């Protein structure tokens, strides 16, 4: 235990400092109160994290340029984190790198990536790190499969043969038979009933209903908080920070897009804060 604390003390301290610079709800409210993209750019230039990114980029005027810099901020954070990692820690977080979206690089959320990563996790040398990696990637894979099946049934009315090619053939808490039954469901009601009987809808973390993206992010958020509490001196806080940073970037780009297209402030607030 002491060895683990020593291995992760510097890394966890760094992550704690970086997490302290994430935007607060009060700061989101200030941004939501801005009227134009120019005002938003000016605000971000003065903000403690994004101000450093804008340094030397006084020519930035357009939303697309702003978004490119915002997306690149997660790349900069990732590189900083790697500098604080030992070789084994770096090997673990590198598994997550293809998911990061930044300028000229779209995230690789596809079957090949997840299959390759799951195999690498199975061979990972550190037992506790392997547990965390399985929890992070396993939960994500289960819910990507659930949400793809949900959309395919509810919005696209797709049949089994059309859904199967998009399913990631990896099973964590979601059993293979449960996923197969979801795909074969004849209606969205039957699909929801099957999902309701899975491990994700039982116990203290159970959900009252399936709500597309909302459920996915609720599950991921609860999972990260749980493993950070269980493994405070580990890679868990690192993965949680990257997830939070990704959410922050998505919220900022949604605000910029909403302001550009003159979306009502309350509608933007609902999109980014759920209220």
């Amino acid at each position: 235990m002491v060895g683990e604390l020593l291995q992760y003390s510097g890394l966890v301290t760094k992550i704690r400092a970086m997490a302290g610079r994430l935007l607060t709800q009060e700061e989101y409210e200030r941004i939501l109160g801005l009227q134009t993209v120019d005002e938003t750019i000016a605000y971000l230039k003065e903000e403690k994290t994004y101000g450093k990114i804008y340094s030397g980029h006084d020519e930035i005027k357009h939303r697309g340029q702003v978004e490119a810099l915002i997306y690149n901020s997660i790349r900069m954070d990732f590189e900083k984190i790697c500098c604080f990692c030992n070789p084994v820690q770096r090997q673990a977080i590198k598994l997550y790198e293809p998911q990061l979206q930044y300028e000229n690089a779209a995230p690789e959320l596809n079957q090949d990536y997840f299959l390759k990563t799951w195999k690498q996790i199975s061979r990972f040398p550190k037992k506790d790190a392997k547990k965390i990696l399985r929890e992070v990637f396993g939960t994500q894979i289960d819910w990507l499969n659930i949400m793809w099946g949900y959309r395919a049934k509810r919005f696209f009315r797709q049949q089994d043969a059309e859904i199967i090619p998009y399913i990631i053939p990896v099973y964590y808490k979601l059993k293979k038979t449960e996923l197969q039954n979801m795909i074969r469901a004849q209606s969205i009601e039957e699909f929801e009933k099957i999902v309701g009987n899975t491990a994700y809808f039982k116990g203290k973390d159970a959900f009252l209903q399936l709500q597309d993206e909302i459920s996915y992010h609720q599950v991921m958020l609860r999972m990260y908080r749980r493993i950070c509490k269980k493994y405070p001196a580990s890679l868990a806080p690192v993965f949680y920070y990257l997830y939070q940073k990704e959410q922050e970037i998505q919220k900022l780009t949604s605000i910029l897009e909403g302001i550009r297209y003159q979306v009502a402030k309350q509608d933007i607030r609902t999109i980014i804060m759920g209220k």
Side-chain angles (χ1 to χ4, degrees):
M1 180 66 179
V2 175
E4 290 292 316
L5 287 172
L6 290 174
Q7 287 180 31
Y8 285 97
S9 60
L11 179 59
V12 171
T13 299
K14 178 64 175 177
I15 292 298
R16 191 177 295 121
M18 293 172 74
R21 293 192 289 270
L22 290 169
L23 294 175
T24 64
Q25 183 168 335
E26 181 180 351
E27 288 170 321
Y28 279 121
E29 290 292 349
R30 288 177 190 162
I31 296 171
L32 283 167
L34 302 174
Q35 301 299 316
T36 67
V37 171
D38 286 343
E39 287 182 3
T40 308
I41 293 173
Y43 178 88
L44 291 175
K45 282 184 176 180
E46 297 299 321
E47 201 276 329
K48 51 192 174 184
T49 297
Y50 296 99
K52 294 180 181 178
I53 298 169
Y54 284 116
S55 179
H57 294 278
D58 294 332
E59 78 284 359
I60 295 297
K61 299 292 183 183
H62 304 295
R63 182 180 64 96
Q65 295 173 310
V66 178
E67 290 182 1
L69 284 178
I70 290 173
Y71 276 118
N72 279 344
S73 70
I74 198 168
R75 179 68 186 182
M76 294 170 63
D77 283 356
F78 188 83
E79 291 173 353
K80 289 178 187 176
I81 292 168
C82 284
C83 290
F84 278 80
C85 292
N86 63 35
V88 174
Q89 294 165 349
R90 194 175 299 112
Q91 178 187 353
I93 67 169
K94 283 283 187 178
L95 297 175
Y96 195 84
E97 186 176 14
Q99 295 196 37
L100 303 179
Q101 179 174 343
Y102 48 93
E103 187 180 12
N104 300 322
E108 298 180 19
L109 301 179
N110 54 48
Q111 282 186 343
D112 290 342
Y113 162 68
F114 283 112
L115 285 171
K116 179 181 177 181
T117 300
W118 198 248
K119 288 179 182 178
Q120 290 176 296
I121 291 171
S122 69
R123 299 192 297 267
F124 206 78
K126 294 289 187 178
K127 186 177 179 181
D128 284 348
K130 183 186 290 188
K131 287 181 181 178
I132 292 167
L133 289 168
R134 282 178 56 83
E135 185 80 13
V136 170
F137 286 91
T139 303
Q140 184 183 24
I141 291 169
D142 279 350
W143 274 84
L144 287 173
N145 281 336
I146 290 173
M147 299 323 302
W148 173 247
Y150 178 80
R151 293 170 191 152
K153 294 290 181 181
R154 180 171 183 178
F155 302 114
F156 305 116
R157 304 292 192 271
Q158 291 182 315
Q159 300 302 311
D160 305 6
E162 297 173 289
I163 300 173
I164 291 173
Y166 297 96
I167 297 298
I168 304 163
V170 170
Y171 313 97
Y172 182 50
K173 292 182 180 179
L174 193 65
K175 299 175 183 176
K176 183 176 181 178
T177 53
E178 291 174 330
L179 187 56
Q180 289 173 334
N181 289 337
M182 290 179 209
I183 294 171
R184 297 187 188 118
Q186 298 300 304
S187 65
I188 188 61
E189 290 76 19
E190 183 183 351
F191 180 93
E192 291 176 338
K193 184 177 180 180
I194 295 166
V195 175
N197 288 320
T198 66
Y200 290 103
F201 283 78
K202 295 177 182 178
K204 63 180 180 180
D205 288 337
F207 291 94
L208 296 177
Q209 66 180 97
L210 191 61
Q211 301 181 71
D212 201 28
E213 292 280 348
I214 296 175
S215 291
Y216 171 81
H217 289 299
Q218 285 178 332
V219 169
M220 297 303 292
L221 186 60
R222 291 184 184 188
M223 179 272 294
Y224 280 120
R225 288 174 175 170
R226 183 176 66 251
I227 63 174
C228 283
K229 184 177 181 180
K230 187 174 182 179
Y231 305 104
S234 73
L235 290 168
V238 178
F239 287 115
Y240 185 29
Y241 173 77
L242 291 172
Y243 173 79
Q244 290 176 295
K245 184 68 176 183
E246 287 179 294
Q247 293 303 298
E248 179 174 286
I249 288 171
Q250 289 179 16
K251 288 177 180 179
L252 283 175
T253 52
S254 293
I255 291 172
L256 283 165
E257 188 172 355
I259 291 173
R260 181 190 181 193
Y261 293 106
Q262 299 181 324
V263 177
K265 296 295 182 181
Q266 186 54 48
D267 291 341
I268 301 175
R269 181 178 285 103
T270 299
I271 291 170
I272 70 166
M273 295 183 177
K275 60 181 180 180

